[in-house]
Amino acid sequence: MNNESIIDALKVDISATRSELGFKAAKMVASKIIELLSQQQLVNIIFAAAPSQNEFLEELSKNDAIAWERINAFHMDEYVGLQEDAPQRFGNFLKIRLFGKVPFRSVNYLNGLAENIQEECARYTALLESNPTDIVCMGIGENAHIAFNDPHVADFNDPHLVKIVDLDEACRQQQVNDGCFTTLNEVPTYALTLTVPALMRAKYAFCIVPGPTKAQAIHNTLQSDIQELYPSTILRKHPEAILFIDKESSGLL
């Protein structure tokens, strides 16, 4: 595969290294943010929380050419039931790496400790409805999930924007593989997630997927039929999506 290709509608960009991938993705996302801010007053962005995003978030957070005070930030998933200060909470992960580093207009956290989870889904849905997503910065899981839409719960025509899901074992094992938890038993079994349609509503999608553990998922994303068994295949239908992979994650192409 060339360093730049298109699979269906999805642009694919291959970097030599993980750090080059993060740098390139951050540069492209920053450029799109600045372009949008020249055309509209506010920009709404959804971010993913995972070690795969580290280099990208680090680079983006250093960009002082962006008018951060005109950006509303969202994130795409959160565990149910993890205590507020748990470092594994995705809101905390993003707070350390981005949300707490730059002066966003607003940061909108999903609350996995809400007393009524259905009400929390409704609250976050209303926020997404009133702040239509301009950009989503996302990853792909080892089981090809996007956000926490694992194959058994992914619905390309989901009527909801936010829902509670149970996590499959491959997804939970990835959290251990990533070093976020020590054992499988520590990984929560339920999470709040933005659904596939919620992510696909973004005008622009930037998908950042480095590393050898993602090689099979990237192979399935680009070379399988578009189907819920491999939720990330839906990206091939997005009119303005780009997939950033590196030498390692592209290893099975």
Side-chain angles (χ1 to χ4, degrees):
M1 185 178 261
N2 302 330
N3 285 351
E4 291 183 15
S5 309
I6 298 183
I7 310 288
D8 296 318
L10 178 62
K11 296 184 275 298
V12 181
D13 183 292
I14 304 180
S15 297
T17 65
R18 186 179 179 123
S19 56
E20 183 194 319
L21 183 162
F23 180 84
K24 204 188 287 185
K27 190 175 174 186
M28 211 174 286
V29 169
S31 170
K32 182 55 68 179
I33 293 171
I34 290 164
E35 178 194 323
L36 288 171
L37 285 172
S38 73
Q39 300 161 3
Q40 59 198 62
Q41 183 53 35
L42 300 174
V43 168
N44 303 308
I45 308 178
I46 298 168
F47 292 96
S52 62
Q53 309 297 301
N54 283 348
E55 292 81 2
F56 159 69
L57 292 171
E58 171 71 21
E59 200 59 43
L60 190 68
S61 72
K62 293 190 287 199
N63 194 316
D64 53 12
I66 296 170
W68 295 104
E69 66 282 356
R70 290 167 56 198
I71 297 173
N72 297 310
F74 297 83
H75 61 120
M76 56 181 61
D77 42 22
E78 186 58 272
Y79 293 115
V80 170
L82 270 190
Q83 68 266 31
E84 199 149 334
D85 59 353
Q88 297 95 337
R89 275 180 68 135
F90 294 134
N92 291 340
F93 178 98
L94 282 164
K95 190 175 189 178
I96 291 165
R97 286 162 181 80
L98 182 66
F99 293 169
K101 284 185 171 182
V102 297
F104 281 106
R105 178 174 184 267
S106 74
V107 174
N108 300 279
Y109 291 102
L110 275 160
N111 180 11
L113 289 171
E115 278 184 32
N116 186 319
I117 289 293
Q118 293 308 330
E119 280 178 14
E120 176 62 8
C121 291
R123 181 189 73 85
Y124 214 74
T125 295
L127 284 170
L128 293 170
E129 293 277 24
S130 56
N131 300 280
T133 308
D134 295 296
I135 294 171
V136 61
C137 302
M138 60 192 293
I140 293 173
E142 290 176 25
N143 65 355
H145 74 199
I146 50 178
F148 266 144
N149 297 284
D150 288 340
H152 73 290
V153 293
D155 181 353
F156 290 170
N157 301 300
D158 206 307
H160 305 288
L161 292 183
V162 185
K163 67 181 181 182
I164 184 170
V165 292
D166 64 306
L167 306 178
D168 75 16
E169 189 159 325
C171 166
R172 293 173 67 230
Q173 183 61 46
Q174 180 188 323
Q175 310 305 319
V176 179
N177 299 349
D178 280 350
C180 302
F181 294 88
T182 319
T183 66
L184 191 64
N185 285 343
E186 291 174 18
V187 185
T189 47
Y190 289 93
L192 291 164
T193 187
L194 273 59
T195 61
V196 175
L199 302 175
M200 292 291 285
R201 277 182 167 201
K203 292 181 206 147
Y204 300 93
F206 297 90
C207 193
I208 294 140
V209 193
T213 60
K214 300 295 177 70
Q216 187 63 56
I218 291 301
H219 174 271
N220 293 336
T221 298
L222 298 179
Q223 301 189 339
S224 297
D225 291 340
I226 297 174
Q227 56 180 311
E228 284 138 343
L229 178 61
Y230 304 116
S232 53
T233 54
I234 195 67
L235 289 166
R236 286 160 37 200
K237 287 190 165 185
H238 195 293
E240 290 289 350
I242 179 163
L243 173 65
F244 296 93
I245 51 181
D246 64 2
K247 194 175 173 190
E248 293 182 322
S249 58
S250 65
L252 294 180
L253 298 177

PDB file of all heavy atoms in Angstrom, residues 8 143-146 149-152 154-156 196 220-221 223-237:
ATOM      1  N   ASP A   8     -12.395   3.060  -0.547  1.00  0.00           N
ATOM      2  CA  ASP A   8     -13.752   3.605  -0.642  1.00  0.00           C
ATOM      3  C   ASP A   8     -13.636   5.125  -0.473  1.00  0.00           C
ATOM      4  O   ASP A   8     -12.951   5.762  -1.259  1.00  0.00           O
ATOM      5  CB  ASP A   8     -14.696   2.942   0.364  1.00  0.00           C
ATOM      6  CG  ASP A   8     -14.859   1.441   0.054  1.00  0.00           C
ATOM      7  OD1 ASP A   8     -14.992   1.100  -1.132  1.00  0.00           O
ATOM      8  OD2 ASP A   8     -14.850   0.635   0.995  1.00  0.00           O
ATOM      9  N   ASN A 143     -10.312  -4.936  18.686  1.00  0.00           N
ATOM     10  CA  ASN A 143     -11.438  -5.684  18.122  1.00  0.00           C
ATOM     11  C   ASN A 143     -12.180  -4.857  17.062  1.00  0.00           C
ATOM     12  O   ASN A 143     -13.301  -5.176  16.692  1.00  0.00           O
ATOM     13  CB  ASN A 143     -12.400  -6.114  19.234  1.00  0.00           C
ATOM     14  CG  ASN A 143     -13.060  -4.925  19.927  1.00  0.00           C
ATOM     15  OD1 ASN A 143     -12.743  -3.769  19.645  1.00  0.00           O
ATOM     16  ND2 ASN A 143     -13.984  -5.203  20.833  1.00  0.00           N
ATOM     17  N   ALA A 144     -11.540  -3.780  16.587  1.00  0.00           N
ATOM     18  CA  ALA A 144     -12.091  -2.877  15.567  1.00  0.00           C
ATOM     19  C   ALA A 144     -13.239  -2.010  16.091  1.00  0.00           C
ATOM     20  O   ALA A 144     -13.981  -1.420  15.317  1.00  0.00           O
ATOM     21  CB  ALA A 144     -12.517  -3.620  14.294  1.00  0.00           C
ATOM     22  N   HIS A 145     -13.370  -1.902  17.426  1.00  0.00           N
ATOM     23  CA  HIS A 145     -14.416  -1.006  17.947  1.00  0.00           C
ATOM     24  C   HIS A 145     -14.032   0.461  17.706  1.00  0.00           C
ATOM     25  O   HIS A 145     -12.860   0.805  17.566  1.00  0.00           O
ATOM     26  CB  HIS A 145     -14.731  -1.282  19.420  1.00  0.00           C
ATOM     27  CG  HIS A 145     -13.709  -0.831  20.422  1.00  0.00           C
ATOM     28  ND1 HIS A 145     -13.658  -1.336  21.701  1.00  0.00           N
ATOM     29  CD2 HIS A 145     -12.695   0.081  20.372  1.00  0.00           C
ATOM     30  CE1 HIS A 145     -12.685  -0.768  22.378  1.00  0.00           C
ATOM     31  NE2 HIS A 145     -12.080   0.107  21.601  1.00  0.00           N
ATOM     32  N   ILE A 146     -15.047   1.298  17.629  1.00  0.00           N
ATOM     33  CA  ILE A 146     -14.845   2.751  17.649  1.00  0.00           C
ATOM     34  C   ILE A 146     -15.655   3.279  18.826  1.00  0.00           C
ATOM     35  O   ILE A 146     -16.788   2.869  19.036  1.00  0.00           O
ATOM     36  CB  ILE A 146     -15.220   3.434  16.308  1.00  0.00           C
ATOM     37  CG1 ILE A 146     -16.598   3.022  15.811  1.00  0.00           C
ATOM     38  CG2 ILE A 146     -14.173   3.129  15.248  1.00  0.00           C
ATOM     39  CD1 ILE A 146     -17.032   3.718  14.513  1.00  0.00           C
ATOM     40  N   ASN A 149     -18.140   0.959  20.985  1.00  0.00           N
ATOM     41  CA  ASN A 149     -19.056   0.176  20.163  1.00  0.00           C
ATOM     42  C   ASN A 149     -18.355  -1.107  19.746  1.00  0.00           C
ATOM     43  O   ASN A 149     -17.805  -1.221  18.644  1.00  0.00           O
ATOM     44  CB  ASN A 149     -19.499   0.996  18.953  1.00  0.00           C
ATOM     45  CG  ASN A 149     -20.268   2.240  19.340  1.00  0.00           C
ATOM     46  OD1 ASN A 149     -21.448   2.152  19.705  1.00  0.00           O
ATOM     47  ND2 ASN A 149     -19.626   3.395  19.282  1.00  0.00           N
ATOM     48  N   ASP A 150     -18.318  -2.071  20.675  1.00  0.00           N
ATOM     49  CA  ASP A 150     -17.759  -3.382  20.367  1.00  0.00           C
ATOM     50  C   ASP A 150     -18.661  -4.079  19.345  1.00  0.00           C
ATOM     51  O   ASP A 150     -19.842  -3.721  19.200  1.00  0.00           O
ATOM     52  CB  ASP A 150     -17.673  -4.225  21.647  1.00  0.00           C
ATOM     53  CG  ASP A 150     -16.572  -3.738  22.600  1.00  0.00           C
ATOM     54  OD1 ASP A 150     -15.654  -3.034  22.148  1.00  0.00           O
ATOM     55  OD2 ASP A 150     -16.636  -4.090  23.799  1.00  0.00           O
ATOM     56  N   PRO A 151     -18.132  -5.088  18.647  1.00  0.00           N
ATOM     57  CA  PRO A 151     -18.923  -5.722  17.579  1.00  0.00           C
ATOM     58  C   PRO A 151     -20.336  -6.148  17.995  1.00  0.00           C
ATOM     59  O   PRO A 151     -21.284  -5.983  17.229  1.00  0.00           O
ATOM     60  CB  PRO A 151     -18.069  -6.932  17.189  1.00  0.00           C
ATOM     61  CG  PRO A 151     -16.661  -6.474  17.451  1.00  0.00           C
ATOM     62  CD  PRO A 151     -16.750  -5.603  18.679  1.00  0.00           C
ATOM     63  N   HIS A 152     -20.501  -6.647  19.224  1.00  0.00           N
ATOM     64  CA  HIS A 152     -21.821  -7.180  19.606  1.00  0.00           C
ATOM     65  C   HIS A 152     -22.830  -6.079  19.942  1.00  0.00           C
ATOM     66  O   HIS A 152     -24.028  -6.362  20.023  1.00  0.00           O
ATOM     67  CB  HIS A 152     -21.688  -8.161  20.788  1.00  0.00           C
ATOM     68  CG  HIS A 152     -21.408  -7.509  22.098  1.00  0.00           C
ATOM     69  ND1 HIS A 152     -20.194  -6.905  22.391  1.00  0.00           N
ATOM     70  CD2 HIS A 152     -22.177  -7.363  23.223  1.00  0.00           C
ATOM     71  CE1 HIS A 152     -20.244  -6.422  23.622  1.00  0.00           C
ATOM     72  NE2 HIS A 152     -21.418  -6.682  24.151  1.00  0.00           N
ATOM     73  N   ALA A 154     -22.388  -2.745  18.393  1.00  0.00           N
ATOM     74  CA  ALA A 154     -22.304  -1.702  17.359  1.00  0.00           C
ATOM     75  C   ALA A 154     -23.547  -1.752  16.469  1.00  0.00           C
ATOM     76  O   ALA A 154     -23.987  -2.835  16.070  1.00  0.00           O
ATOM     77  CB  ALA A 154     -21.053  -1.901  16.519  1.00  0.00           C
ATOM     78  N   ASP A 155     -24.102  -0.579  16.186  1.00  0.00           N
ATOM     79  CA  ASP A 155     -25.291  -0.478  15.341  1.00  0.00           C
ATOM     80  C   ASP A 155     -25.105   0.725  14.428  1.00  0.00           C
ATOM     81  O   ASP A 155     -25.119   1.865  14.885  1.00  0.00           O
ATOM     82  CB  ASP A 155     -26.530  -0.319  16.226  1.00  0.00           C
ATOM     83  CG  ASP A 155     -27.826  -0.223  15.425  1.00  0.00           C
ATOM     84  OD1 ASP A 155     -27.760  -0.141  14.172  1.00  0.00           O
ATOM     85  OD2 ASP A 155     -28.903  -0.219  16.035  1.00  0.00           O
ATOM     86  N   PHE A 156     -24.899   0.443  13.148  1.00  0.00           N
ATOM     87  CA  PHE A 156     -24.650   1.529  12.193  1.00  0.00           C
ATOM     88  C   PHE A 156     -25.867   2.446  12.045  1.00  0.00           C
ATOM     89  O   PHE A 156     -25.744   3.571  11.574  1.00  0.00           O
ATOM     90  CB  PHE A 156     -24.252   0.972  10.822  1.00  0.00           C
ATOM     91  CG  PHE A 156     -22.872   0.339  10.787  1.00  0.00           C
ATOM     92  CD1 PHE A 156     -22.460  -0.391   9.686  1.00  0.00           C
ATOM     93  CD2 PHE A 156     -21.987   0.480  11.849  1.00  0.00           C
ATOM     94  CE1 PHE A 156     -21.192  -0.962   9.632  1.00  0.00           C
ATOM     95  CE2 PHE A 156     -20.717  -0.091  11.814  1.00  0.00           C
ATOM     96  CZ  PHE A 156     -20.319  -0.824  10.700  1.00  0.00           C
ATOM     97  N   VAL A 196     -22.184   4.782  17.058  1.00  0.00           N
ATOM     98  CA  VAL A 196     -21.569   4.932  15.720  1.00  0.00           C
ATOM     99  C   VAL A 196     -22.150   6.155  14.988  1.00  0.00           C
ATOM    100  O   VAL A 196     -21.386   6.984  14.481  1.00  0.00           O
ATOM    101  CB  VAL A 196     -21.732   3.634  14.895  1.00  0.00           C
ATOM    102  CG1 VAL A 196     -21.210   3.842  13.475  1.00  0.00           C
ATOM    103  CG2 VAL A 196     -21.002   2.478  15.567  1.00  0.00           C
ATOM    104  N   ASN A 220      -8.586  -5.578   9.097  1.00  0.00           N
ATOM    105  CA  ASN A 220     -10.040  -5.785   9.003  1.00  0.00           C
ATOM    106  C   ASN A 220     -10.774  -4.512   8.601  1.00  0.00           C
ATOM    107  O   ASN A 220     -11.735  -4.551   7.831  1.00  0.00           O
ATOM    108  CB  ASN A 220     -10.577  -6.296  10.338  1.00  0.00           C
ATOM    109  CG  ASN A 220     -10.076  -7.700  10.663  1.00  0.00           C
ATOM    110  OD1 ASN A 220      -9.716  -8.451   9.770  1.00  0.00           O
ATOM    111  ND2 ASN A 220     -10.031  -8.039  11.943  1.00  0.00           N
ATOM    112  N   THR A 221     -10.307  -3.365   9.115  1.00  0.00           N
ATOM    113  CA  THR A 221     -10.955  -2.082   8.801  1.00  0.00           C
ATOM    114  C   THR A 221     -10.922  -1.801   7.302  1.00  0.00           C
ATOM    115  O   THR A 221     -11.907  -1.321   6.725  1.00  0.00           O
ATOM    116  CB  THR A 221     -10.231  -0.937   9.544  1.00  0.00           C
ATOM    117  OG1 THR A 221     -10.330  -1.152  10.955  1.00  0.00           O
ATOM    118  CG2 THR A 221     -10.835   0.419   9.204  1.00  0.00           C
ATOM    119  N   GLN A 223      -9.902  -4.072   4.742  1.00  0.00           N
ATOM    120  CA  GLN A 223     -10.003  -5.156   3.763  1.00  0.00           C
ATOM    121  C   GLN A 223     -11.207  -6.070   3.957  1.00  0.00           C
ATOM    122  O   GLN A 223     -11.441  -6.940   3.140  1.00  0.00           O
ATOM    123  CB  GLN A 223      -8.680  -5.938   3.734  1.00  0.00           C
ATOM    124  CG  GLN A 223      -7.529  -4.981   3.373  1.00  0.00           C
ATOM    125  CD  GLN A 223      -6.192  -5.663   3.109  1.00  0.00           C
ATOM    126  OE1 GLN A 223      -5.961  -6.785   3.533  1.00  0.00           O
ATOM    127  NE2 GLN A 223      -5.311  -4.966   2.415  1.00  0.00           N
ATOM    128  N   SER A 224     -11.979  -5.862   5.015  1.00  0.00           N
ATOM    129  CA  SER A 224     -13.221  -6.636   5.177  1.00  0.00           C
ATOM    130  C   SER A 224     -14.385  -5.866   4.571  1.00  0.00           C
ATOM    131  O   SER A 224     -14.278  -4.675   4.288  1.00  0.00           O
ATOM    132  CB  SER A 224     -13.507  -6.873   6.663  1.00  0.00           C
ATOM    133  OG  SER A 224     -12.494  -7.649   7.243  1.00  0.00           O
ATOM    134  N   ASP A 225     -15.511  -6.552   4.424  1.00  0.00           N
ATOM    135  CA  ASP A 225     -16.735  -5.855   4.028  1.00  0.00           C
ATOM    136  C   ASP A 225     -17.119  -4.868   5.130  1.00  0.00           C
ATOM    137  O   ASP A 225     -16.776  -5.071   6.298  1.00  0.00           O
ATOM    138  CB  ASP A 225     -17.887  -6.858   3.847  1.00  0.00           C
ATOM    139  CG  ASP A 225     -17.665  -7.755   2.636  1.00  0.00           C
ATOM    140  OD1 ASP A 225     -16.870  -7.379   1.747  1.00  0.00           O
ATOM    141  OD2 ASP A 225     -18.261  -8.851   2.602  1.00  0.00           O
ATOM    142  N   ILE A 226     -17.846  -3.818   4.752  1.00  0.00           N
ATOM    143  CA  ILE A 226     -18.325  -2.839   5.731  1.00  0.00           C
ATOM    144  C   ILE A 226     -19.457  -3.493   6.524  1.00  0.00           C
ATOM    145  O   ILE A 226     -20.519  -3.786   5.980  1.00  0.00           O
ATOM    146  CB  ILE A 226     -18.776  -1.543   5.032  1.00  0.00           C
ATOM    147  CG1 ILE A 226     -17.574  -0.895   4.336  1.00  0.00           C
ATOM    148  CG2 ILE A 226     -19.416  -0.573   6.035  1.00  0.00           C
ATOM    149  CD1 ILE A 226     -17.911   0.317   3.482  1.00  0.00           C
ATOM    150  N   GLN A 227     -19.205  -3.761   7.814  1.00  0.00           N
ATOM    151  CA  GLN A 227     -20.157  -4.537   8.619  1.00  0.00           C
ATOM    152  C   GLN A 227     -19.899  -4.282  10.105  1.00  0.00           C
ATOM    153  O   GLN A 227     -18.797  -3.914  10.509  1.00  0.00           O
ATOM    154  CB  GLN A 227     -19.996  -6.031   8.317  1.00  0.00           C
ATOM    155  CG  GLN A 227     -18.571  -6.522   8.537  1.00  0.00           C
ATOM    156  CD  GLN A 227     -18.398  -7.996   8.233  1.00  0.00           C
ATOM    157  OE1 GLN A 227     -19.183  -8.823   8.705  1.00  0.00           O
ATOM    158  NE2 GLN A 227     -17.372  -8.339   7.473  1.00  0.00           N
ATOM    159  N   GLU A 228     -20.937  -4.521  10.896  1.00  0.00           N
ATOM    160  CA  GLU A 228     -20.853  -4.259  12.334  1.00  0.00           C
ATOM    161  C   GLU A 228     -19.924  -5.213  13.064  1.00  0.00           C
ATOM    162  O   GLU A 228     -19.482  -4.919  14.173  1.00  0.00           O
ATOM    163  CB  GLU A 228     -22.266  -4.265  12.937  1.00  0.00           C
ATOM    164  CG  GLU A 228     -23.013  -2.972  12.611  1.00  0.00           C
ATOM    165  CD  GLU A 228     -24.471  -3.175  12.231  1.00  0.00           C
ATOM    166  OE1 GLU A 228     -24.862  -4.310  11.908  1.00  0.00           O
ATOM    167  OE2 GLU A 228     -25.212  -2.166  12.247  1.00  0.00           O
ATOM    168  N   LEU A 229     -19.599  -6.357  12.449  1.00  0.00           N
ATOM    169  CA  LEU A 229     -18.611  -7.262  13.033  1.00  0.00           C
ATOM    170  C   LEU A 229     -17.265  -6.545  13.191  1.00  0.00           C
ATOM    171  O   LEU A 229     -16.507  -6.838  14.110  1.00  0.00           O
ATOM    172  CB  LEU A 229     -18.448  -8.503  12.142  1.00  0.00           C
ATOM    173  CG  LEU A 229     -17.423  -9.541  12.586  1.00  0.00           C
ATOM    174  CD1 LEU A 229     -17.782 -10.127  13.954  1.00  0.00           C
ATOM    175  CD2 LEU A 229     -17.292 -10.652  11.538  1.00  0.00           C
ATOM    176  N   TYR A 230     -16.993  -5.624  12.286  1.00  0.00           N
ATOM    177  CA  TYR A 230     -15.804  -4.762  12.366  1.00  0.00           C
ATOM    178  C   TYR A 230     -16.294  -3.310  12.319  1.00  0.00           C
ATOM    179  O   TYR A 230     -16.345  -2.688  11.256  1.00  0.00           O
ATOM    180  CB  TYR A 230     -14.837  -5.042  11.208  1.00  0.00           C
ATOM    181  CG  TYR A 230     -14.411  -6.490  11.124  1.00  0.00           C
ATOM    182  CD1 TYR A 230     -14.749  -7.269  10.023  1.00  0.00           C
ATOM    183  CD2 TYR A 230     -13.690  -7.075  12.156  1.00  0.00           C
ATOM    184  CE1 TYR A 230     -14.368  -8.598   9.945  1.00  0.00           C
ATOM    185  CE2 TYR A 230     -13.307  -8.407  12.096  1.00  0.00           C
ATOM    186  CZ  TYR A 230     -13.644  -9.167  10.984  1.00  0.00           C
ATOM    187  OH  TYR A 230     -13.265 -10.485  10.925  1.00  0.00           O
ATOM    188  N   PRO A 231     -16.681  -2.768  13.486  1.00  0.00           N
ATOM    189  CA  PRO A 231     -17.345  -1.454  13.498  1.00  0.00           C
ATOM    190  C   PRO A 231     -16.577  -0.353  12.762  1.00  0.00           C
ATOM    191  O   PRO A 231     -17.171   0.518  12.131  1.00  0.00           O
ATOM    192  CB  PRO A 231     -17.467  -1.152  14.995  1.00  0.00           C
ATOM    193  CG  PRO A 231     -17.538  -2.511  15.637  1.00  0.00           C
ATOM    194  CD  PRO A 231     -16.615  -3.370  14.835  1.00  0.00           C
ATOM    195  N   SER A 232     -15.245  -0.395  12.818  1.00  0.00           N
ATOM    196  CA  SER A 232     -14.439   0.660  12.183  1.00  0.00           C
ATOM    197  C   SER A 232     -14.554   0.691  10.666  1.00  0.00           C
ATOM    198  O   SER A 232     -14.186   1.687  10.032  1.00  0.00           O
ATOM    199  CB  SER A 232     -12.968   0.491  12.576  1.00  0.00           C
ATOM    200  OG  SER A 232     -12.536  -0.829  12.293  1.00  0.00           O
ATOM    201  N   THR A 233     -15.089  -0.375  10.060  1.00  0.00           N
ATOM    202  CA  THR A 233     -15.251  -0.357   8.593  1.00  0.00           C
ATOM    203  C   THR A 233     -16.179   0.766   8.146  1.00  0.00           C
ATOM    204  O   THR A 233     -16.093   1.222   7.002  1.00  0.00           O
ATOM    205  CB  THR A 233     -15.798  -1.707   8.068  1.00  0.00           C
ATOM    206  OG1 THR A 233     -17.010  -2.037   8.777  1.00  0.00           O
ATOM    207  CG2 THR A 233     -14.787  -2.830   8.251  1.00  0.00           C
ATOM    208  N   ILE A 234     -17.055   1.239   9.032  1.00  0.00           N
ATOM    209  CA  ILE A 234     -17.990   2.319   8.676  1.00  0.00           C
ATOM    210  C   ILE A 234     -17.258   3.598   8.288  1.00  0.00           C
ATOM    211  O   ILE A 234     -17.794   4.441   7.550  1.00  0.00           O
ATOM    212  CB  ILE A 234     -18.987   2.581   9.840  1.00  0.00           C
ATOM    213  CG1 ILE A 234     -20.190   3.421   9.391  1.00  0.00           C
ATOM    214  CG2 ILE A 234     -18.298   3.257  11.017  1.00  0.00           C
ATOM    215  CD1 ILE A 234     -21.110   2.744   8.421  1.00  0.00           C
ATOM    216  N   LEU A 235     -16.022   3.746   8.744  1.00  0.00           N
ATOM    217  CA  LEU A 235     -15.243   4.941   8.396  1.00  0.00           C
ATOM    218  C   LEU A 235     -15.050   5.061   6.891  1.00  0.00           C
ATOM    219  O   LEU A 235     -14.851   6.168   6.376  1.00  0.00           O
ATOM    220  CB  LEU A 235     -13.877   4.918   9.090  1.00  0.00           C
ATOM    221  CG  LEU A 235     -13.902   5.139  10.598  1.00  0.00           C
ATOM    222  CD1 LEU A 235     -12.573   4.758  11.224  1.00  0.00           C
ATOM    223  CD2 LEU A 235     -14.256   6.589  10.915  1.00  0.00           C
ATOM    224  N   ARG A 236     -15.118   3.950   6.194  1.00  0.00           N
ATOM    225  CA  ARG A 236     -14.945   3.984   4.735  1.00  0.00           C
ATOM    226  C   ARG A 236     -16.128   4.640   4.029  1.00  0.00           C
ATOM    227  O   ARG A 236     -16.069   4.915   2.831  1.00  0.00           O
ATOM    228  CB  ARG A 236     -14.707   2.567   4.206  1.00  0.00           C
ATOM    229  CG  ARG A 236     -13.304   2.083   4.553  1.00  0.00           C
ATOM    230  CD  ARG A 236     -13.075   0.597   4.517  1.00  0.00           C
ATOM    231  NE  ARG A 236     -13.769  -0.127   3.476  1.00  0.00           N
ATOM    232  CZ  ARG A 236     -13.992  -1.441   3.506  1.00  0.00           C
ATOM    233  NH1 ARG A 236     -13.567  -2.159   4.543  1.00  0.00           N
ATOM    234  NH2 ARG A 236     -14.627  -2.034   2.530  1.00  0.00           N
ATOM    235  N   LYS A 237     -17.175   4.927   4.788  1.00  0.00           N
ATOM    236  CA  LYS A 237     -18.340   5.628   4.210  1.00  0.00           C
ATOM    237  C   LYS A 237     -18.362   7.112   4.563  1.00  0.00           C
ATOM    238  O   LYS A 237     -19.222   7.841   4.090  1.00  0.00           O
ATOM    239  CB  LYS A 237     -19.641   4.976   4.708  1.00  0.00           C
ATOM    240  CG  LYS A 237     -19.929   3.622   4.090  1.00  0.00           C
ATOM    241  CD  LYS A 237     -21.350   3.182   4.445  1.00  0.00           C
ATOM    242  CE  LYS A 237     -21.776   2.026   3.552  1.00  0.00           C
ATOM    243  NZ  LYS A 237     -23.190   1.669   3.789  1.00  0.00           N
TER     244      LYS A 237
END
